Amino acid sequence: MKTLMVFDFDHTVVDDNSDTWVISCLPGQTLPDSVENSYRKGHWTEFMGRVMKYIGDQDISPDRVRSVMETIPFTAGMKDLLAFISEHKSTIDCIVISDSNTLFIDWILQASGLQAAVDQVFSNPAKVNELGYMEVHGYHSHDCDKCPVNMCKRKVLELYLSERSDGGVKYERLFYVGDGGNDLCPSFCLRGHDVVMPRKGFTLEKLLARLEGQKDDASVKAKVIAWSSATEILEELKASM
């Protein structure tokens, strides 16, 4: 029986938003209003596609973007937590489910030397195309009305757990670590002995607090433990082993 660690990425693994961090590669570190004002609620990935095109139009190379992405800070204690997970791969599986994109996440993890901690990354697929431009596409389509159009993290997690179960892997405990509103939906598929860990002061913590005392069908069954440093997550993980 193994433990599964599930991480969001932005403001969870890293202490900022990787999608907005990329803007620091631009002259003046700002987007023109025509791009900045094109965002529509729930359609962030489409917006990021326009940001990536604009970056390419400025003749900023993917290598330059990568060097900027590699400077994003990790959340306090997170590198120690990921190093611990790397050393215990026989008993701990670890995945990232993020509404960022695969290119940024892979670059950041590789630069940290900690990519061995993470078994799989589920995020919006991104690549450098034949013109040398970065491009990004939505992860999947779904029918969940609580989530952004391009990703329902609950569906991603449920499919992963189903496939692992079919392969004979059962998880004794699951830790879900996140911060944002889109981390609430996957929290509903956790069991009573699982743990959802919202970052203190962020949206997920507030949403979970509002659900306390709700009827069974509207409640999160998992134990809720808020964190401000990944050292606290590591302590909970060690205590469960």
Side-chain angles (χ1 to χ4, degrees):
M1 296 289 277
K2 303 182 87 173
T3 297
L4 177 65
M5 299 294 298
V6 184
F7 290 96
D8 170 48
F9 195 73
D10 293 337
H11 292 294
T12 298
V13 173
V14 292
D15 200 17
D16 211 300
N17 182 325
S18 57
D19 279 344
T20 54
W21 190 265
V22 74
I23 293 163
S24 57
C25 74
L26 290 167
Q29 302 188 357
T30 54
L31 290 167
D33 289 345
S34 58
V35 179
E36 186 80 55
N37 298 332
S38 69
Y39 170 65
R40 290 186 301 134
K41 187 174 181 185
H43 295 263
W44 179 261
T45 304
E46 292 171 27
F47 169 71
M48 281 308 300
R50 292 188 288 277
V51 171
M52 288 179 172
K53 182 179 184 304
Y54 178 76
I55 289 171
D57 286 344
Q58 307 314 300
D59 292 326
I60 296 169
S61 71
D63 284 343
R64 166 66 185 143
V65 176
R66 180 172 187 160
S67 68
V68 167
M69 297 311 299
E70 289 174 349
T71 65
I72 195 168
F74 277 69
T75 308
M78 187 57 67
K79 287 187 175 181
D80 289 340
L81 173 57
L82 292 176
F84 179 85
I85 291 170
S86 296
E87 293 159 7
H88 294 82
K89 294 311 295 177
S90 61
T91 54
I92 305 171
D93 286 347
C94 174
I95 63 173
V96 168
I97 307 177
S98 167
D99 203 3
S100 178
N101 67 77
T102 55
L103 204 55
F104 291 174
I105 293 172
D106 288 347
W107 283 345
I108 293 164
L109 288 177
Q110 284 171 23
S112 73
L114 293 166
Q115 70 269 34
V118 179
D119 300 300
Q120 278 184 267
V121 172
F122 300 92
S123 190
N124 301 300
K127 66 177 183 179
V128 177
N129 66 24
E130 62 279 358
L131 299 173
Y133 279 52
M134 299 177 298
E135 59 181 51
V136 62
H137 302 281
Y139 182 78
H140 63 185
S141 57
H142 61 83
D143 55 7
C144 175
D145 59 6
K146 299 183 185 69
C147 292
V149 294
N150 58 291
M151 175 177 272
C152 170
K153 291 187 176 186
R154 177 174 183 163
K155 296 227 176 330
V156 177
L157 179 55
E158 287 178 334
L159 182 58
Y160 176 82
L161 292 171
S162 172
E163 289 174 348
R164 294 295 280 158
S165 178
D166 290 346
V169 177
K170 298 273 198 277
Y171 292 109
E172 187 171 4
R173 183 168 284 114
L174 193 160
F175 289 84
Y176 188 99
V177 185
D179 71 282
N182 63 355
D183 294 311
L184 182 64
C185 195
S187 303
F188 285 106
C189 71
L190 304 181
R191 304 159 299 183
H193 56 281
D194 294 330
V195 184
V196 56
M197 302 195 73
R199 189 173 180 184
K200 286 179 184 171
F202 284 72
T203 303
L204 179 60
E205 183 191 29
K206 294 165 187 168
L207 292 173
L208 288 167
R210 276 188 219 153
L211 288 174
E212 278 186 59
Q214 298 272 356
K215 293 181 186 150
D216 281 351
D217 59 346
S219 68
V220 170
K221 298 183 183 69
K223 185 178 181 184
V224 177
I225 302 174
W227 63 280
S228 54
S229 162
T231 305
E232 297 161 85
I233 304 169
L234 179 54
E235 288 169 359
E236 290 296 329
L237 176 58
K238 285 179 176 176
S240 75
M241 294 174 72

